[in-house]
Amino acid sequence: MSIIKHILSRRAFTALAGAAMIATMAPAASFAQDVTIPIIVKDTTSFYWQIVLAGARAAGKDLGVNVPELGAQSESDINGQISILENAVAGAPAAVVISPTEFKALGKPIDEAAKAVPIIGIDSGADSKAFSSFLTTDNVQGGRIAADGLAAAIKEMSGKEEGDIAIITSLPGVGSLDQRREGFLDQIKTKYPGFKVVADKYADGQATTGLNMMTDLITANPNLVGVFASNLIMAQGVGQAIAENKLGDKIKVIGFDSDEKTVGFLKEGVLAGLVVQDPYRMGYDGVKTALAVSKKEKVEANVDTGANLVTKANMAEPKIDALLNPKVN
């Protein structure tokens, strides 16, 4: 000890020891604080997006990453989401996870953002090739699943795969919704020639609009036998119109995504089926992938997170029940 004292003063020794301790402890202690990966969803008030956020939150906890939960309060607030993205990038995070609200409008903002940080896309695409990875349902296939489900429900009701049907899309220009519509219409055209699409409507992202559109369709098309409502908000509105008019046994409806209201409609026979994605996985794996990219690890360019047709007959199955009742908290 005397030799050490001879070489170093007590102050210098203490400083060295302290520095060594900080160097040893810093990586573990500051990791969670230093690594930030914001997730930006389309609508923080929607149950679907709350499930996505729950998955992201769980990933942040498991991986020791700070995950700010961001998003507008309406899927139609495109400018709001662009501002949120710009502000998030200005904070110099390790990466950003985003579900673009509108395909064209988010293209350039994502291009610009990706110049500064890695961008991971989930759920819906954008007019950009700058995504480091993209995790989503195969929405074209989801539309095909909806067409098959609607055809089966109508056949069970009438004994025939024929009649007048309609599709209601929540908003125009949204990549995932356009793809569902494409898959649905293509499947109907190629596999079910007995069906005639008498209405192909776009709403404004509001459940009330879906309700009003469906009410108008009921009045204008007395021979209507089926409808595809291509997202959760439209399924809520369309389901409400069917319930109010007591037409569950005459008009079969397939919705997309689920919440307490639409699952209730399914149990009551108001809706014939729901195409259910895995939003929890999108949120969780989105953050996990973003962290990997920030560490320069190799990741898949495109990941299909899957979709399933849920009916009253299969909704109690363990796999389906887990999708219908995710852990949001």
Side-chain angles (χ1 to χ4, degrees):
M1 187 68 179
S2 60
I3 297 174
I4 295 175
K5 285 182 179 179
H6 181 72
I7 298 173
L8 299 171
S9 70
R10 182 179 298 274
R11 180 179 297 176
F13 179 77
T14 303
L16 268 175
M21 183 177 293
I22 290 170
T24 303
M25 293 176 63
S30 65
F31 180 76
Q33 297 173 354
D34 290 348
V35 179
T36 295
I37 299 174
I39 180 168
I40 305 171
V41 298
K42 298 180 185 181
D43 176 3
T44 56
T45 69
S46 163
F47 183 69
Y48 176 84
W49 295 110
Q50 288 170 12
I51 299 171
V52 173
L53 292 176
R57 194 179 312 132
K61 184 177 180 180
D62 290 348
L63 301 171
V65 175
N66 179 34
V67 183
E69 299 173 13
L70 309 174
Q73 294 191 343
S74 168
E75 292 196 16
S76 60
D77 188 3
I78 297 167
N79 290 332
Q81 192 186 53
I82 292 172
S83 295
I84 290 167
L85 172 61
E86 291 171 347
N87 290 335
V89 172
V96 172
V97 180
I98 185 170
S99 177
T101 53
E102 205 274 339
F103 184 81
K104 287 289 185 183
L106 268 292
K108 287 185 179 179
I110 286 172
D111 285 342
E112 287 301 311
K115 293 176 183 178
V117 298
I119 304 295
I120 307 301
I122 59 171
D123 185 78
S124 297
D127 191 12
S128 171
K129 298 187 185 303
F131 291 108
S132 297
S133 183
F134 194 77
L135 299 86
T136 186
T137 303
D138 181 340
N139 282 291
V140 173
Q141 179 61 18
R144 294 192 185 106
I145 291 171
D148 289 341
L150 187 60
I154 293 170
K155 185 175 182 179
E156 183 179 355
M157 173 183 68
S158 66
K160 299 177 289 185
E161 292 177 346
E162 62 181 50
D164 293 349
I165 62 173
I167 178 172
I168 299 179
T169 302
S170 184
L171 286 163
V174 178
S176 58
L177 303 184
D178 287 345
Q179 290 164 0
R180 292 171 198 172
R181 175 182 174 275
E182 174 192 339
F184 178 82
L185 293 174
D186 182 68
Q187 190 80 337
I188 291 295
K189 181 180 179 180
T190 58
K191 192 174 178 181
Y192 305 105
F195 290 119
K196 180 182 179 182
V197 179
V198 296
D200 184 358
K201 302 282 188 179
Y202 285 96
D204 60 359
Q206 303 298 318
T208 302
T209 306
L211 166 62
N212 293 336
M213 280 186 167
M214 188 63 218
T215 302
D216 291 343
L217 283 174
I218 291 168
T219 303
N221 300 275
N223 296 321
L224 193 69
V225 294
V227 177
F228 172 40
S230 71
N231 82 336
L232 176 61
I233 303 300
M234 289 304 103
Q236 291 172 345
V238 170
Q240 188 64 39
I242 295 293
E244 289 178 0
N245 289 277
K246 297 180 172 59
L247 290 172
D249 59 343
K250 294 182 179 179
I251 300 177
K252 296 303 176 182
V253 178
I254 300 294
F256 216 102
D257 299 326
S258 66
D259 68 351
E260 186 176 354
K261 184 170 186 176
T262 54
V263 170
F265 282 154
L266 187 63
K267 290 178 180 177
E268 296 162 8
V270 172
L271 300 179
L274 297 166
V275 180
V276 177
Q277 307 178 80
D278 195 342
Y280 189 93
R281 179 185 171 191
M282 283 187 205
Y284 192 101
D285 285 0
V287 171
K288 183 178 179 181
T289 302
L291 180 61
V293 170
S294 74
K295 293 178 175 180
K296 310 298 183 186
E297 296 174 4
K298 187 177 180 180
V299 299
E300 294 292 329
N302 294 281
V303 178
D304 179 7
T305 53
N308 295 269
L309 178 67
V310 179
T311 65
K312 193 173 182 179
N314 72 358
M315 65 190 302
E317 294 177 7
K319 176 185 175 182
I320 301 299
D321 182 67
L323 294 173
L324 294 178
N325 299 289
K327 297 178 181 178
V328 176
N329 296 320

